[in-house]
């Protein structure tokens, strides 16, 4: 019904709802600001580290550690054992979620298991 009306140039009450360009000017400022923040994080995450040695990672926490110029996600179990996270995805950036004690990935989360190894939380 809508498509037929649009083709024939007829008015249709659903036209505005399905308009492919619905971004109002008032919302554009917020959208641009959010996109700039995403771009800034995309760049900064590849250069910033949270620690420069394993000793800076406390028990029960995870940090991005700069080891020989490489960014490594490291988790220290409460027993003191450290575990490096190897993400097989090229350029994968993770963040430690201290509230949930998990690594946040763009595609999900990974939590330390009771024994200290890493397992998928999904």
């Amino acid at each position: 019904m809508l498509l037929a009306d649009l083709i024939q140039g007829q008015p249709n009450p659903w036209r505005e709802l399905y308009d492919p360009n619905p971004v109002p000017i008032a919302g554009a400022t917020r959208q641009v600001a959010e996109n700039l923040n995403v771009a800034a994080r995309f760049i900064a995450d590849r250069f910033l580290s949270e620690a420069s040695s394993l000793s800076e990672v406390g028990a029960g926490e995870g940090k991005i550690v700069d080891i020989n110029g490489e960014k490594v996600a490291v988790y220290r179990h409460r027993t003191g054992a450290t575990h490096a996270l190897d993400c097989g995805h090229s350029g994968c950036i993770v963040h430690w979620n201290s509230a949930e004690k998990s690594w946040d990935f763009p595609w999900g989360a990974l939590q330390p298991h009771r024994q200290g190894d890493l397992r998928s939380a999904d």
Side-chain angles (χ1 to χ4, degrees):
M1 185 162 122
L2 173 63
L3 187 56
D5 286 347
L6 291 175
I7 291 171
Q8 296 174 16
Q10 301 295 321
N12 188 294
W14 299 100
R15 183 181 186 123
E16 285 186 37
L17 180 64
Y18 293 103
D19 183 358
N21 300 311
V23 179
I25 299 296
T29 303
R30 181 174 173 213
Q31 186 175 8
V32 168
E34 287 177 13
N35 286 334
L36 287 173
N37 182 46
V38 169
R41 295 299 321 158
F42 182 80
I43 295 167
D45 286 347
R46 283 160 173 70
F47 295 105
L48 300 176
S49 297
E50 299 168 319
S52 58
S53 71
L54 295 176
S55 63
E56 295 178 47
V57 182
E61 71 179 9
K63 289 186 178 184
I64 304 299
V65 182
D66 191 342
I67 300 176
N68 297 326
E70 250 186 86
K71 308 282 182 267
V72 179
V74 175
Y75 167 75
R76 184 177 303 274
H77 190 263
R78 66 180 181 273
T79 63
T82 56
H83 303 272
L85 178 65
D86 180 21
C87 181
H89 301 80
S90 178
C92 185
I93 302 295
V94 298
H95 295 279
W96 180 250
N97 183 331
S98 59
E100 295 185 15
K101 302 283 190 218
S102 66
W103 289 107
D104 291 341
F105 288 76
W107 46 263
L110 203 66
Q111 295 178 332
H113 191 266
R114 281 192 301 258
Q115 287 80 25
D117 56 336
L118 295 172
R119 64 176 173 84
S120 175
D122 295 338

